[in-house]
Amino acid sequence: AQSCAATATARPQVQVSSRMSMRFVALALLATTAHGASAPALRLRGGATTKSSAVVAESGLTPASRCLSTRGGGVPSGVMSKVDVPLLSYFAFWYLGNYYYNIANKQCLKAAGGAAGFPMTIGVLQLGVGVLYALYMWAAPDSRSVPSVTKDDLVKMLPVGFCAMGAHCFSVFALSAGAVSFGQIVKAAEPAFAAVVSTAVYGKSISTAKWLALIPVIGGVVLASVKELDFAWSALIAACTANLFAAFKANENKKLMETPGLKDRIGSVGNQFALTTILSFLFGLPLLLAREGHKWSEFVSLFRSNSVISTNLFTSGLYFYLYNELSTLTIKKTSATTQSVANTAKRVIVIVGVALALGESLEPIKMLGCGIGIGGVLLYSLVK
């Protein structure tokens, strides 16, 4: 009876979430496909370039600003030509995708039993949703070209795929074991792990100024942990492990992209993330079977009977894929300083927004620690 009542109470929320999900997904798809479609000129089926697209190209205006400048003449063309509308849309959907992912992910994990339920299964299946999306984008006509990578290229990508799987699955486990806001605060300390891994494993040098900037990062996380009402050691350890995997992934990815001709064979940022997601999913399947395979039938039963799990599993997987791809496109189009500020703003918006949406604690000491930690991250990103 309690289960039926809970399901009935959650149903309106799920329906609203589903409608919002579909709207976000549709807009995010427009943003990602616009990136691939904006580069070439408009072509007819026979391969000829239309005259109108050539005129637009010669005028130096984007299609959007051309349209606005000719219909009514109310917007000066010089103003619109300086506004990078695709970049602004990348920022918006990157932030929104991250925000909605954390909410949908937490709702799915909570409905499935939290840390004692199926965090590994949910994490791997979220990657599986991304794989389906990537395959669809390759199969759909005029959408995205298939990469022409070789067997040796895929072998070289294995470390990146494995580290990406570890970073994602341990993040999911951290968010299942404690508050989302707390998990995100710990994950904000990723630069500290990146600095240690880069120097100890990859032989890179870090300036004294950067090492000093890590003091407020670590101090902020410690301060936020002191008054965390939903504190759990498992959440802290899992989030730290996710940071460790993310640090290795960043270094391995940098090594990978130094392979001669690999960028040309991959073809695009979207293809690179798609290949990484497919490898991550394949790496995650054996771990899913080893850790939670004995409970697979129980999970299938919950998935079929509880719409909160099924709906949020699908949407969180799609959110995760889309916001990561959009963040990659955003970073590619901006400077290092802009990236640092954007990442800092994103963390503040996600931590505070998700805490408010899920009713998590926002104790003053926790928020102070959050501010100090994220400020340290920004400082670390800006100093030389």
Side-chain angles (χ1 to χ4, degrees):
Q2 292 177 347
S3 175
C4 293
T7 303
T9 303
R11 188 172 293 118
Q13 181 180 4
V14 172
Q15 290 174 348
V16 173
S17 175
S18 178
R19 288 195 296 269
M20 295 175 66
S21 300
M22 292 306 103
R23 291 171 185 171
F24 168 80
V25 168
L27 292 171
L29 287 174
L30 286 175
T32 54
T33 53
H35 172 76
S38 60
L42 181 64
R43 295 182 180 275
L44 298 174
R45 291 190 177 181
T49 305
T50 62
K51 183 177 180 181
S52 61
S53 64
V55 172
V56 172
E58 291 174 3
S59 68
L61 298 177
T62 63
S65 60
R66 178 75 177 180
C67 178
L68 287 171
S69 63
T70 55
R71 294 187 180 181
V75 181
S77 60
V79 175
M80 288 305 300
S81 63
K82 294 179 181 179
V83 177
D84 194 337
V85 177
L87 180 60
L88 291 178
S89 67
Y90 295 163
F91 271 114
F93 293 120
W94 172 23
Y95 286 15
L96 283 173
N98 200 317
Y99 170 79
Y100 282 120
Y101 163 73
N102 279 279
I103 293 177
N105 180 58
K106 185 63 175 182
Q107 289 177 340
C108 183
L109 290 167
K110 189 175 180 180
F118 305 90
M120 189 69 190
T121 301
I122 291 171
V124 173
L125 291 182
Q126 286 172 346
L127 294 174
V129 173
V131 170
L132 293 177
Y133 173 78
L135 295 176
Y136 168 77
M137 292 296 289
W138 286 333
D142 302 323
S143 181
R144 184 174 291 171
S145 60
V146 179
S148 57
V149 292
T150 64
K151 181 180 178 182
D152 291 338
D153 292 335
L154 292 175
V155 171
K156 291 178 180 179
M157 294 182 72
L158 292 178
V160 177
F162 179 77
C163 292
M165 179 276 301
H168 174 64
C169 290
F170 274 100
S171 294
V172 171
F173 185 81
L175 299 178
S176 73
V180 173
S181 54
F182 175 68
Q184 291 294 337
I185 291 172
V186 178
K187 282 176 61 61
E190 185 180 316
F193 292 82
V196 173
V197 169
S198 296
T199 54
V201 180
Y202 294 91
K204 298 180 180 179
S205 60
I206 304 294
S207 67
T208 303
K210 281 187 174 289
W211 282 116
L212 291 175
L214 293 176
I215 295 176
V217 175
I218 299 172
V221 172
V222 172
L223 188 62
S225 304
V226 172
K227 287 293 185 179
E228 173 55 45
L229 300 179
D230 197 18
F231 178 81
W233 280 106
S234 56
L236 177 62
I237 294 172
C240 290
T241 307
N243 285 344
L244 195 61
F245 271 107
F248 275 105
K249 175 194 168 187
N251 282 280
E252 288 295 330
N253 191 64
K254 188 173 182 179
K255 282 174 51 181
L256 174 69
M257 298 316 294
E258 293 173 354
T259 304
L262 181 60
K263 287 184 179 180
D264 295 331
R265 291 191 292 275
I266 290 177
S268 67
V269 172
N271 280 346
Q272 181 184 350
F273 187 67
L275 291 170
T276 302
T277 301
I278 292 172
L279 293 175
S280 301
F281 175 67
L282 295 176
F283 274 121
L285 285 177
L287 296 178
L288 184 159
L289 295 175
R291 182 174 176 81
E292 298 173 2
H294 63 285
K295 301 190 293 183
W296 177 253
S297 59
E298 182 183 349
F299 175 79
V300 171
S301 178
L302 281 173
F303 182 86
R304 290 176 176 175
S305 61
N306 192 335
S307 61
V308 176
I309 296 176
S310 57
T311 302
N312 285 293
L313 175 58
F314 175 77
T315 54
S316 62
L318 205 51
Y319 289 151
F320 178 77
Y321 188 96
L322 290 174
Y323 94 71
N324 273 286
E325 185 171 323
L326 286 168
S327 69
T328 307
L329 295 174
T330 304
I331 289 172
K332 190 176 180 181
K333 289 171 67 71
T334 54
S335 65
T337 302
T338 304
Q339 294 168 26
S340 303
V341 175
N343 268 306
T344 303
K346 180 209 70 174
R347 292 190 187 281
V348 173
I349 292 171
V350 170
I351 289 171
V352 177
V354 171
L356 291 173
L358 297 177
E360 296 177 351
S361 65
L362 288 172
E363 294 288 331
I365 294 295
K366 179 179 177 179
M367 288 296 96
L368 177 62
C370 174
I372 293 174
I374 292 178
V377 172
L378 177 61
L379 181 63
Y380 177 88
S381 303
L382 295 178
V383 298
K384 302 296 184 182

